[in-house]
Amino acid sequence: MKNKSSPKFVIKKNLQKSVQTGIYFTDQLTQEILRDVCYKITGQNVFETVFVENDYFDQHLQKGYNKGRLAILYYNGTANYVSFSEKEIGGRNSSVQSVPTAYNMFYINEDMDKHIYYYFLNEVGNADTDYQMLIYRLMKTVGFNFLNDLQSLGISILPFNSIEDIIHTRRANAGRNQSNNSTYISKSSINNYEIYGKTYGANKYETSMICYALSHLAAKNQILTLYEVCERDLEELPQSSLDVLQKMNNILVVPTDLSLEKKVFEENNSLRSPRYIFNLYAKLGNKRCAFCNCEIPELVQGAHVLPVAAIKNLPAISIEERVKKATDGDNGIWLCENHHKMFDEGILIINLDGSVGHCGGMEEQNIAFVNEVTVVKQLPPSILTPEFIKYLDMRNRLVG
Ligand SMILES: [Zn+2]
């Protein structure tokens, strides 16, 4: 009978900046921890461990320091990727920022016989904030197995069942913090989901994981579009994340840098700007008509208070200032298609105190209709910011 080989860990010794911090992965991954990991994955207690230096590489590990806080556990021809949490969990994003990196390495590898795991090492700090729980659930959705979630968090992490499940869960958790989101998910038609995601700095972790999860959950005929809301000059998601999205093959990636928006602004009188939509989400929350509370995402649009055409005619300001006004979250409200048209045509007006009225000279039955469908007669204070009032004042002077 052929002997089965014993499990073997191959682990990069150096973490990012190990030389400066003096913290090495060898110190964090004690034999006791590795035995626990090995037993949970293979059922074996006896194993071999090889810690390797930066210049080492093989089929599963790249040159350089330990990206993704990974250990690779080989057993019976299977490569088990195990990503470890930080020991001390500090800021909102820091504890899970190695997750997309670990997943990227795992996903892009051509080896078919592979699994991915996550192990909580944390001893200091909270590992279960709303933000972290979101990331864990996204991880579970894309195939991570949690080895000690029950012991460490006291609960079993559950995957999302559908894209709508993600949208509803985020809405339920949003509260007042939704302007902190890196990403917003919207639906433009029955089979088209749109993701508006910031890609710079720490935002890229949430945006990457949301995209991966949506890609996993999308039905065959569904099309996903990621609008990358880049800062200043083009700063897209990292190449390794873009490679994963390309391999997933159902997400269209559209970068939206400011120079592109400048061009779109100059050539059009209406602006279909992902940055504008993102900014409206950040200010107003999920799509909901300000005049009738309609929440059907396919019907609700961003409506400018000071129209793009009027911004173009403003005297003596730079093109950058114009684009800023055209994409400002304070220069807009969500309106359903019907109310957008009524607002643009001047049938409905917003007074400076936020009350909603209609124009004069309409026929009796039309006034009755407009009154009936416009259930909101007064906009809430959350919309009526000083900047919003400024845009509204300019609009009303133009119209009046
Ligand atoms: Zn409406």
Side-chain angles (χ1 to χ4, degrees):
M1 204 175 103
K2 203 175 150 190
N3 274 341
K4 279 189 175 178
S5 59
S6 61
K8 178 183 173 184
F9 283 104
V10 179
I11 306 167
K12 288 256 176 177
K13 183 182 161 191
N14 287 343
L15 294 168
Q16 191 173 18
K17 296 177 185 159
S18 269
V19 178
Q20 291 98 309
T21 60
I23 300 168
Y24 294 87
F25 220 22
T26 34
D27 306 328
Q28 300 198 347
L29 300 185
T30 61
Q31 283 296 300
E32 192 189 347
I33 287 167
L34 290 177
R35 187 173 300 112
D36 190 34
V37 170
C38 182
Y39 185 76
K40 286 184 158 110
I41 295 176
T42 69
Q44 305 290 314
N45 276 316
V46 181
F47 58 93
E48 191 189 338
T49 311
V50 182
F51 282 102
V52 292
E53 300 292 336
N54 281 8
D55 56 358
Y56 175 89
F57 69 96
D58 63 22
Q59 189 194 351
H60 300 97
L61 293 173
Q62 302 165 2
K63 274 198 178 188
Y65 69 88
N66 192 329
K67 298 181 185 73
R69 297 177 60 83
L70 276 173
I72 311 289
L73 174 63
Y74 294 100
Y75 185 60
N76 283 346
T78 299
N80 299 290
Y81 288 65
V82 188
S83 183
F84 292 85
S85 79
E86 309 273 340
K87 279 189 83 169
E88 296 184 18
I89 294 180
R92 179 176 120 106
N93 292 304
S94 65
S95 70
V96 284
Q97 69 183 24
S98 55
V99 166
T101 310
Y103 189 75
N104 292 352
M105 290 174 67
F106 165 79
Y107 188 84
I108 217 74
N109 194 282
E110 295 298 334
D111 191 347
M112 297 304 288
D113 207 353
K114 60 184 177 182
H115 299 286
I116 189 161
Y117 298 88
Y118 193 75
Y119 192 93
F120 290 98
L121 283 185
N122 55 294
E123 293 167 354
V124 180
N126 284 339
D128 57 355
T129 63
D130 282 351
Y131 175 78
Q132 286 155 338
M133 292 305 293
L134 166 74
I135 300 291
Y136 300 150
R137 294 195 65 191
L138 296 171
M139 290 165 67
K140 185 82 176 181
T141 306
V142 301
F144 273 88
N145 302 288
F146 287 88
L147 290 169
N148 60 346
D149 48 351
L150 199 55
Q151 292 96 316
S152 185
L153 303 179
I155 55 154
S156 294
I157 307 288
L158 296 173
F160 289 106
N161 301 313
S162 64
I163 294 177
E164 294 298 324
D165 187 15
I166 296 182
I167 294 173
H168 288 148
T169 304
R170 297 196 82 204
R171 186 175 301 173
N173 290 342
R176 289 178 193 171
N177 284 328
Q178 61 189 345
S179 60
N180 291 334
N181 284 355
S182 305
T183 48
Y184 299 96
I185 308 164
S186 182
K187 197 176 187 183
S188 59
S189 65
I190 190 128
N191 280 321
N192 285 283
Y193 285 96
E194 294 171 340
I195 305 149
Y196 298 88
K198 284 189 196 168
T199 51
Y200 45 92
N203 299 297
K204 59 179 174 279
Y205 307 115
E206 178 180 322
T207 299
S208 295
M209 292 307 295
I210 292 260
C211 287
Y212 298 168
L214 260 60
S215 173
H216 265 76
L217 294 169
K220 267 210 168 70
N221 55 347
Q222 285 176 330
I223 300 166
L224 310 173
T225 306
L226 165 65
Y227 293 102
E228 294 180 301
V229 181
C230 308
E231 185 88 320
R232 295 178 295 274
D233 292 325
L234 194 63
E235 191 183 343
E236 287 196 75
L237 286 178
Q239 191 56 47
S240 57
S241 294
L242 293 175
D243 291 344
V244 167
L245 292 178
Q246 193 177 6
K247 192 174 173 186
M248 288 179 168
N249 203 26
N250 59 356
I251 295 197
L252 185 69
V253 180
V254 182
T256 64
D257 63 315
L258 278 175
S259 53
L260 185 77
E261 298 204 29
K262 244 188 262 177
K263 192 166 174 289
V264 173
F265 174 81
E266 279 167 336
E267 290 169 2
N268 300 280
N269 267 344
S270 66
L271 190 67
R272 175 76 185 74
S273 159
R275 186 181 304 271
Y276 181 51
I277 302 297
F278 182 95
N279 290 339
L280 288 176
Y281 268 110
K283 181 187 172 189
L284 302 169
N286 284 296
K287 283 183 174 179
R288 176 168 155 168
C289 177
F291 291 162
C292 70
N293 296 325
C294 167
E295 295 191 54
I296 302 168
E298 294 91 328
L299 294 183
V300 180
Q301 311 167 331
H304 278 92
V305 172
L306 186 62
V308 173
I311 295 171
K312 285 186 169 183
N313 288 331
L314 290 174
I317 58 169
S318 67
I319 174 75
E320 285 76 17
E321 272 297 306
R322 290 179 208 275
V323 173
K324 190 162 173 283
K325 288 183 192 302
T327 58
D328 188 349
D330 270 316
N331 184 15
I333 42 175
W334 295 128
L335 290 178
C336 70
E337 287 194 25
N338 243 5
H339 277 122
H340 195 170
K341 183 78 175 165
M342 288 190 222
F343 188 51
D344 279 356
E345 295 296 329
I347 294 168
L348 280 173
I349 48 172
I350 306 173
N351 300 304
L352 288 184
D353 62 359
S355 59
V356 180
H358 59 79
C359 67
M362 266 199 295
E363 287 182 47
E364 231 15 75
Q365 75 265 27
N366 290 345
I367 294 173
F369 174 81
V370 168
N371 274 335
E372 197 182 335
V373 297
T374 308
V375 298
V376 178
K377 310 292 182 197
Q378 170 69 43
L379 299 186
S382 57
I383 292 180
L384 303 173
T385 57
E387 278 301 305
F388 178 89
I389 301 289
K390 268 190 218 168
Y391 286 118
L392 185 62
D393 190 29
M394 290 169 84
R395 176 194 182 92
N396 289 353
R397 281 166 203 267
L398 282 173
V399 175

